[in-house]
Amino acid sequence: MNAGDNKSYDDINVTPMVDLYLVLLLIFIIMTTAGVQSVKVDLPKASNSSKDEGGAKTKAITINNEGKIFLDTIPVTLQELEQRLNAHKSKHPEFPVVIKGDRQTQYQGIMDVLDVVGRLGLTKIGLATQGPAK
């Protein structure tokens, strides 16, 4: 036996241990993010009825930049608007209404139309907007 054979090893090769730690760290990161992304919620159910319930056609109310009001494409006053919507409501109690206001329209004109729609008790109201320009 040689005197050099009894020499103790002072250094340990830690490369396999670092690889193991990195793999474990990667697994924990993946499991943590997967757990956060999979939040369980109870989603509402959609009805099977068609969107056009009994011929309840959508009514479009348009207010142009001069403050004139149109029901579909027919010019009306606020009183005529209320009368025509009320007549349509007697035939179709749950019909949707879409309100389109010009960008230059006075806010009061849109509020007057919303007031008429609110007095009639209509609940399916949409405000038409245009997406941002790209």
Side-chain angles (χ1 to χ4, degrees):
M1 287 210 143
N2 233 347
D5 290 341
N6 290 335
K7 179 170 95 170
S8 65
Y9 293 101
D10 292 336
D11 56 343
I12 299 173
N13 189 1
V14 294
T15 305
M17 208 172 355
V18 171
D19 288 343
L20 177 67
Y21 290 145
L22 289 176
V23 168
L24 287 174
L25 180 65
L26 184 63
I27 290 172
F28 287 136
I29 289 173
I30 291 172
M31 294 304 290
T32 303
T33 56
V36 170
Q37 291 175 355
S38 64
V39 175
K40 293 183 180 180
V41 293
D42 186 18
L43 296 174
K45 305 287 188 260
S47 66
N48 291 334
S49 63
S50 66
K51 290 187 178 186
D52 189 17
E53 298 170 0
K57 183 180 175 190
T58 302
K59 289 292 185 183
I61 303 170
T62 307
I63 303 109
N64 67 5
N65 60 354
E66 298 169 0
K68 294 182 181 177
I69 302 168
F70 298 88
L71 179 60
D72 294 330
T73 57
I74 303 166
V76 293
T77 63
L78 278 174
Q79 292 79 20
E80 292 173 338
L81 175 68
E82 188 168 3
Q83 292 169 356
R84 290 183 185 201
L85 288 177
N86 202 14
H88 189 71
K89 184 180 177 186
S90 64
K91 297 175 188 172
H92 309 287
E94 292 289 326
F95 68 94
V97 175
V98 176
I99 300 174
K100 302 175 185 178
D102 189 276
R103 165 185 321 240
Q104 304 298 323
T105 303
Q106 292 292 320
Y107 191 66
Q108 185 61 46
I110 296 173
M111 289 306 298
D112 291 340
V113 169
L114 284 171
D115 186 43
V116 167
V117 170
R119 277 196 310 262
L120 292 174
L122 300 174
T123 57
K124 296 182 180 181
I125 304 167
L127 297 173
T129 60
Q130 182 177 358
K134 292 183 179 179

